């Protein structure tokens, strides 16, 4: 038995149930399940064995369903597009503002992508590292498996999928830990330092602080090209929020003391 046959026999029922939940149509779920495994067979050589097979197939199945909706000019609702995790234990309560997040992060890019395709324009979709689960200690690349665990990450990922589905000239640019003009972490910490002698800042989340100026340069570099697709764009290096804050205060001459705490101690929900 080859790798694909083993995956087919093991996960056919799982994928069918997933699509049955998405479509609420037994016959359509059967058709889309067959199409999903046909696409999986063509992509099997690129599958990373260390990834969760169910999540990989789930992603293919969901994209297959979106293609079906597009071909048949069907409206896409929040209920149809919302994440349907294969593992029930991983289902989280969506944030109170899930409708607004869906409209901004998902439907907005979809509408823009449709208009851009109609007029032959390119589209840049700025996305986020929150499309990943957020565990591990190695840098992530464009080929790594997505698995968002928050409402924000799920709606941003859906926005990516809509852009791919509705546009042929797109640049999806994932970035992280942005700072520059406007509200951001750096300005928040500086503001808090004005009224606090000490601050408690999370020290077990790691990332790459990225200047919006540098991100804009990266996007400007892509725009004249026809090198469409998915890109990761951050500055170099890695730190945690607490050490980042200490560096901010060092560079601005602030005397506020930073005490590191854990994510659990902080207690805020994931964005």
């Amino acid at each position: 038995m080859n790798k694909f046959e083993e995956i087919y026999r093991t996960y056919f029922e799982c994928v069918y149930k997933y699509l049955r939940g998405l479509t609420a149509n037994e016959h359509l779920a059967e058709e889309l399940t067959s199409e999903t495994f046909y696409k999986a067979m063509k992509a099997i050589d690129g599958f990373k064995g260390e990834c969760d097979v169910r999540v990989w197939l789930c992603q293919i199945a969901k994209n297959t369903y979106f293609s079906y909706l597009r071909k048949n000019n069907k409206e896409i609702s929040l209920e149809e597009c919302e994440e349907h995790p294969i593992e029930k234990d991983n289902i989280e309560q969506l944030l109170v503002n899930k409708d607004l997040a869906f409209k901004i992060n998902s439907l907005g890019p979809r509408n823009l992508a449709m208009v851009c395709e109609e007029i032959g324009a390119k589209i840049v979709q700025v996305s986020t590292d929150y499309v990943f689960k957020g565990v591990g200690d190695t840098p992530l690349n464009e080929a790594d498996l997505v698995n968002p665990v928050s409402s924000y990450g799920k709606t941003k990922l859906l926005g990516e999928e809509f852009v791919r589905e509705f546009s042929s000239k797109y640049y999806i640019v994932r970035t992280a830990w942005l700072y520059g003009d406007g509200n951001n972490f750096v300005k928040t910490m500086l503001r808090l330092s004005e009224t606090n002698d000490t601050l408690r800042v999370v020290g077990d989340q790691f990332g790459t602080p990225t200047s919006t100026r540098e991100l804009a340069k990266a996007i400007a570099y892509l725009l004249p090209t026809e090198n469409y697709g998915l890109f990761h764009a951050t500055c170099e290096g890695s730190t945690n929020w607490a050490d980042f804050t200490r560096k901010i205060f060092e560079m601005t001459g602030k005397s506020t003391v930073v005490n590191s705490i854990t994510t659990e101690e902080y207690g805020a929900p994931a964005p």
Side-chain angles (χ1 to χ4, degrees):
M1 183 186 303
N2 62 34
K3 181 165 63 173
F4 176 76
E5 290 175 342
E6 182 178 355
I7 289 176
Y8 181 86
R9 293 187 181 185
T10 304
Y11 295 102
F12 182 89
E13 187 67 20
C14 179
V15 171
Y16 169 74
K17 289 180 179 180
Y18 175 79
L19 285 165
R20 183 72 174 83
L22 277 177
T23 64
N25 183 311
E26 183 176 344
H27 178 66
L28 177 58
E30 290 176 353
E31 291 184 357
L32 294 180
T33 299
S34 297
E35 187 174 347
T36 294
F37 277 98
Y38 174 73
K39 291 179 179 177
M41 179 180 66
K42 295 172 65 177
I44 193 67
D45 290 338
F47 173 69
K48 294 184 177 181
E50 68 270 17
C51 297
D52 191 319
V53 178
R54 288 171 294 182
V55 175
W56 178 65
L57 290 171
C58 174
Q59 190 69 42
I60 297 175
K62 186 166 64 173
N63 289 339
T64 301
Y65 178 50
F66 288 159
S67 296
Y68 163 80
L69 293 175
R70 182 188 179 190
K71 290 176 183 176
N72 290 275
N73 296 316
K74 292 183 177 292
E75 285 296 319
I76 304 174
S77 68
L78 173 60
E79 288 72 25
E80 288 172 323
C81 296
E82 216 170 57
E83 188 76 15
H84 289 67
I86 290 293
E87 298 183 28
K88 294 183 179 179
D89 290 341
N90 288 339
I91 298 177
E92 67 165 14
Q93 295 294 324
L94 294 179
L95 300 180
V96 175
N97 64 344
K98 65 176 183 179
D99 291 331
L100 181 60
F102 175 71
K103 290 175 182 177
I104 294 173
N105 296 333
S106 304
L107 287 187
R110 184 199 71 161
N111 295 340
L112 287 172
M114 293 172 70
V115 172
C116 287
E117 186 69 10
E118 183 176 344
I119 64 176
K122 301 176 181 180
I123 181 171
V124 177
Q125 167 69 0
V126 178
S127 193
T128 173
D129 58 331
Y130 280 101
V131 299
F132 297 104
K133 191 172 183 178
V135 297
D137 55 5
T138 58
L140 296 165
N141 62 48
E142 293 85 346
D144 284 317
L145 185 70
V146 293
N147 187 15
V149 296
S150 67
S151 206
Y152 174 75
K154 290 173 182 177
T155 54
K156 289 294 285 187
L157 178 59
L158 187 55
E160 289 186 11
E161 293 169 351
F162 279 146
V163 169
R164 287 192 188 94
E165 189 66 32
F166 290 97
S167 173
S168 59
K169 299 178 180 179
Y170 64 84
Y171 310 94
I172 297 172
V173 182
R174 292 175 182 157
T175 190
W177 292 36
L178 290 175
Y179 63 89
D181 290 336
N183 294 326
N184 59 72
F185 182 81
V186 173
K187 292 189 176 181
T188 297
M189 292 299 102
L190 289 174
R191 185 180 71 251
L192 291 174
S193 72
E194 297 296 327
T195 55
N196 293 272
D197 294 328
T198 63
L199 288 175
R200 300 165 72 245
V201 184
V202 172
D204 61 355
Q205 294 181 15
F206 291 83
T208 303
T210 301
S211 162
T212 53
R213 184 183 297 272
E214 294 304 313
L215 177 63
K217 289 179 182 178
I219 293 173
Y221 178 82
L222 285 172
L223 279 175
T225 76
E226 295 183 354
N227 189 21
Y228 305 119
L230 171 65
F231 303 88
H232 285 188
T234 64
C235 290
E236 296 181 332
S238 175
T239 188
N240 59 64
W241 291 117
D243 285 344
F244 186 28
T245 305
R246 293 186 182 101
K247 191 65 177 179
I248 293 168
F249 291 166
E250 175 189 330
M251 295 180 67
T252 54
K254 301 295 184 182
S255 58
T256 303
V257 176
V258 177
N259 294 322
S260 297
I261 61 172
T262 65
T263 301
E264 185 178 0
E265 288 174 319
Y266 184 60

